[in-house]
Amino acid sequence: MKIATWNVNSLHARKERVIAFLEREKPDVLCIQELKCSDEKFPDTLFQDMGYHAAWHGQKAYNGVATLSRFPISFVEKGPEEFDPTFGSRVLITEIEDLRIINIYAINGQEVGSEAFQKKKAWFEQLKDYLLRCEASHTPTVLCGDFNVAPEELDVYDGMDRVKRLLVSPEERTWFRSITELGFTDGFRWLHPEEKSFSWWDYRELSFQKNRGLRIDFVLVSPPLQESLQTARMDREERKGEKPSDHVPVVVELDFHPQA
DNA sequence: ATGGCTACACCTTGTAGA
C-alpha cells in the first residue's frame, strides 16, 4: 500500500496539483489537510472519476480534512467525540477493511504561551484520549497528517531563529512524544534515521530556495504495521513551480494488504 | 524590531497560517 499525506493549503487553489499528484504517484490512500472548503463544495465526483473513494470533513475558509482511497471506505467518523468541535474540522477517521486511517490537522498555536497555544495542548490531549479509546496501538492503524510540531533537532533547519519557538518548543515536543509513546512509529524517521529532510517551508524569505524548512508532517504507524514499512520520502518536487502549497506530500509504502 | 508570502472572507483590509 502506498499512503500519502499532504497539507494542500486550500484544495480549490491546489486542485490541478492534487490531480497531477494522484496521476503521477497513484497512491492507494491520500490524506489531505487544510481543505479550506465547505462540505458542499468538496469535489467528490472529480475524485470518483479518477477511481478514488472519498470521505471529507470540511469547513468554510479554514481547516478541513479529506481521505481518498482506491479501496472502498467501510467506515467514516468526523471529529470523534473526544475533540472539541469549536477547534474546527481537523480529524477524520476512515476504515479500509481492517486498516484504520486517522487523518489529522493539528492546531497551529500561533505563539508559544498564547491562548491558541493552550488550545493546541488541549487538542493533543484529546487526540491521545481518542487513540486510547479506539485501541489504536493494538490494531493496524495509520495516523498521519500535519502535526505542527518538529519533534527533533534533525527536523529543523540549521540556524533557525529560536526566538520564534513555535513548532520546536519543548512543550510541543512533549505533546508529540505523548502520541508516539503510545507505540506509533514515525515511518520516515524509522527508515531514514539520519536524513535531514523537510515537509514544509515558509512562503516568505526564499525559505525553500535556502532550504530553511521543518519536518512537521508525518505518517505514523501502529505496532502491527511497523515491520511492514518499506519506503518513505518527501515529495520535494511539489514545492517547486507555480502556486505550490507550503507543504509537500509525505509518501510511505507498506507491505500490507487490507483484509476483511 | 519588523515583516517577509499565500489564501480566504464580512474582499483594498483583517485574519490565520507556521
Side-chain angles (χ1 to χ4, degrees):
Chain A
M1 275 191 96
K2 184 191 259 191
I3 299 178
T5 183
W6 189 11
N7 178 324
V8 298
N9 184 19
S10 167
L11 181 56
H12 176 68
R14 226 63 62 201
K15 199 181 220 173
E16 295 307 315
R17 277 187 179 258
V18 172
I19 292 168
F21 175 79
L22 291 171
E23 287 175 345
R24 185 175 71 250
E25 288 291 329
K26 301 177 174 59
D28 294 298
V29 173
L30 173 61
C31 291
I32 305 173
Q33 300 86 37
E34 277 212 88
L35 302 175
K36 294 186 171 179
C37 156
S38 61
D39 280 338
E40 312 84 71
K41 292 187 176 172
F42 183 82
D44 59 324
T45 52
L46 167 72
F47 296 128
Q48 266 176 34
D49 292 345
M50 296 185 71
Y52 284 92
H53 304 267
W56 60 97
H57 184 24
Q59 179 183 339
K60 190 179 180 183
Y62 300 108
N63 311 314
V65 284
T67 301
L68 311 184
S69 169
R70 285 196 173 279
F71 300 99
I73 296 170
S74 52
F75 174 84
V76 178
E77 188 175 7
K78 302 175 183 186
E81 63 188 23
E82 281 80 0
F83 290 90
D84 181 341
T86 68
F87 289 171
S89 301
R90 296 177 176 276
V91 183
L92 179 63
I93 315 300
T94 51
E95 287 178 11
I96 298 165
E97 303 291 359
D98 58 336
L99 178 66
R100 183 188 304 259
I101 314 268
I102 304 172
N103 177 4
I104 64 115
Y105 171 47
I107 288 176
N108 167 278
Q110 288 183 356
E111 191 180 338
V112 174
S114 67
E115 194 176 326
F117 192 73
Q118 290 311 309
K119 287 182 179 176
K120 185 174 189 174
K121 178 184 185 182
W123 185 89
F124 271 100
E125 288 169 352
Q126 292 163 10
L127 176 61
K128 185 179 176 182
D129 289 343
Y130 168 71
L131 295 171
L132 290 170
R133 171 170 68 92
C134 75
E135 301 187 318
S137 303
H138 309 296
T139 56
T141 302
V142 173
L143 168 59
C144 66
D146 176 358
F147 286 70
N148 269 321
V149 179
E152 308 283 347
E153 287 310 289
L154 198 52
D155 304 316
V156 180
Y157 67 91
D158 297 331
M160 181 185 178
D161 176 5
R162 293 314 173 91
V163 174
K164 304 168 185 171
R165 287 152 51 221
L166 191 74
L167 312 178
V168 300
S169 72
E171 296 98 316
E172 289 161 280
R173 288 175 166 176
T174 301
W175 307 339
F176 184 89
R177 269 200 307 279
S178 74
I179 301 304
T180 54
E181 279 170 1
L182 299 175
F184 285 90
T185 299
D186 172 351
F188 180 84
R189 187 54 75 219
W190 175 257
L191 294 166
H192 305 287
E194 308 291 337
E195 186 178 327
K196 187 163 264 204
S197 200
F198 307 130
S199 67
W200 170 86
W201 297 259
D202 199 306
Y203 281 123
R204 300 166 292 188
E205 295 185 306
L206 301 172
S207 296
F208 181 65
Q209 288 84 341
K210 296 172 182 170
N211 198 28
R212 292 181 180 169
L214 301 174
R215 193 172 72 98
I216 57 178
D217 299 87
F218 304 90
V219 177
L220 309 183
V221 300
S222 68
L225 293 176
Q226 186 190 302
E227 291 303 318
S228 69
L229 283 165
Q230 301 294 304
T231 71
R233 65 189 169 83
M234 309 294 171
D235 191 355
R236 209 169 176 283
E237 293 300 306
E238 269 302 337
R239 192 62 173 77
K240 301 178 181 176
E242 291 296 309
K243 278 179 58 116
S245 169
D246 43 357
H247 298 251
V248 296
V250 184
V251 185
V252 170
E253 288 176 298
L254 301 173
D255 182 14
F256 179 84
H257 304 282
Q259 289 173 6

